[in-house]
Amino acid sequence: MTASDAVNSSAGVLFVVATPIGNLEDISTRALRVLREVSLIAAEDTRHSARLMQHFGIATPLAACHEHNERDEGGRFIGRLLAGEDVALISDAGTPLISDPGYHLVRQARAAGVRVVPVPGACALVAALSAAGLPSDRFIFEGFLPAKQAARRARLEHLREEPRTLIFYEAPHRILECLQDLEAVFGDDRPALLGRELTKTFETLKDLPLAELRAWVEADSNQRRGECVLVVGGWQAPEDDAVSSEALRVLDLLLAEVPLKRAAAMAAEITGVRKNLLYQVALTRQG
């Protein structure tokens, strides 16, 4: 038995509680009961969470547990737990620890022998994936991409041939830049969905190939507001027998003279082979 397996029977329980990402009706009956019964709620932003508690008539005290203090001040929550009190951990919206604080507190609690109990509920990445119409049997969650373009493109290059469906969170002021980089690295025709303001009044679920999705967001500034989730189809290996030897010869000649994306587009115009297929073949031949 490891240290994390040994549960301190005299300690309280740390409940990891999911809260709504927008629509308040998405909170569970169990979550409301737990939030009322615990001694303390560790919240990412106590002012934000106070409004949620007020809406549901919950009077449990709140204490801050955010990315700037959870590593250093987690001990006070552990102390309360070891004294036999139950504590609930919540984030501003959705499931704690999913691109939100809480990892250090949960790790400390488990190391101290405190029982950790998940109270599942809303999660933006799962909500977007469930409505995307893209393969969901295998997927990869990448959270937020780097804010700077060079680092963002480098990360996307690393993911370019990832066959699983990809899920990203993105800030509204970077969503257009992110789509531009996705288009540049993954190609025009990769299927994608933008989930924006999920469960809220102005919820958007728009699925288009990356080039069209980028153009749609570029043309409508309203699509650059609110919380954003991007679901992108995984890479599919090109079928070699779908490209004739003549098309491959044209593609190779063009690759020697112009950038990859332009070479694929020109080869498609000359040979009539689908641009996306030639783009994927070009990636393979250059890689």
Side-chain angles (χ1 to χ4, degrees), residues 198-228:
L198 294 176
T199 80
K200 301 177 185 177
T201 302
F202 298 105
E203 176 182 86
T204 298
L205 289 162
K206 187 72 170 181
D207 64 311
L208 289 168
L210 277 172
E212 295 178 41
L213 187 61
R214 184 268 308 155
W216 182 74
V217 170
E218 194 169 38
D220 184 357
S221 62
N222 287 324
Q223 305 309 323
R224 301 194 290 274
R225 299 175 182 174
E227 302 297 324
C228 300

Side-chain angles (χ1 to χ4, degrees), residues 254-276:
L254 289 166
L255 285 171
E257 301 295 334
V258 298
L260 186 150
K261 187 175 179 180
R262 180 62 180 152
M266 292 175 67
E269 292 177 10
I270 295 169
T271 66
V273 178
R274 287 189 300 110
K275 179 175 64 175
N276 189 50

Side-chain angles (χ1 to χ4, degrees), residues 77-275:
F77 298 113
I78 302 301
R80 298 281 292 265
L81 287 159
L82 292 177
E85 298 182 56
D86 292 339
V87 175
L89 171 66
I90 64 174
S91 63
D92 285 350
T95 301
L97 280 76
I98 309 301
S99 285
D100 275 329
Y103 161 75
H104 296 291
L105 177 58
V106 170
R107 187 175 179 85
Q108 290 171 29
R110 294 185 64 82
V114 172
R115 184 178 169 217
V116 180
V117 174
V119 182
C123 181
L125 77 92
V126 174
L129 178 63
S130 71
L134 290 168
S136 57
D137 53 333
R138 297 177 68 232
F139 62 91
I140 179 170
F141 174 56
E142 282 292 313
F144 287 91
L145 288 165
K148 297 294 181 64
Q149 184 185 65
R152 185 167 56 241
R153 288 206 175 191
R155 183 60 189 157
L156 291 174
E157 288 287 353
H158 179 76
L159 296 168
R160 186 177 65 189
E161 295 187 10
E162 168 58 59
R164 293 169 290 183
T165 297
L166 296 133
I167 307 174
F168 305 95
Y169 285 168
E170 192 51 274
H173 64 278
R174 286 198 301 267
I175 187 63
L176 181 56
E177 295 174 5
C178 180
L179 284 167
Q180 289 168 343
D181 289 341
L182 280 164
E183 179 188 355
V185 176
F186 288 1
D188 297 358
D189 297 332
R190 185 81 71 95
L193 173 133
L194 170 63
R196 189 182 65 84
E197 292 288 85
L198 294 176
T199 80
K200 301 177 185 177
T201 302
F202 298 105
E203 176 182 86
T204 298
L205 289 162
K206 187 72 170 181
D207 64 311
L208 289 168
L210 277 172
E212 295 178 41
L213 187 61
R214 184 268 308 155
W216 182 74
V217 170
E218 194 169 38
D220 184 357
S221 62
N222 287 324
Q223 305 309 323
R224 301 194 290 274
R225 299 175 182 174
E227 302 297 324
C228 300
V229 184
L230 282 168
V231 186
V232 182
W235 178 78
Q236 293 185 350
E239 299 177 12
D240 292 338
D241 58 359
V243 182
S244 67
S245 58
E246 177 62 20
L248 290 176
R249 189 181 72 82
V250 171
L251 180 62
D252 287 338
L253 288 171
L254 289 166
L255 285 171
E257 301 295 334
V258 298
L260 186 150
K261 187 175 179 180
R262 180 62 180 152
M266 292 175 67
E269 292 177 10
I270 295 169
T271 66
V273 178
R274 287 189 300 110
K275 179 175 64 175

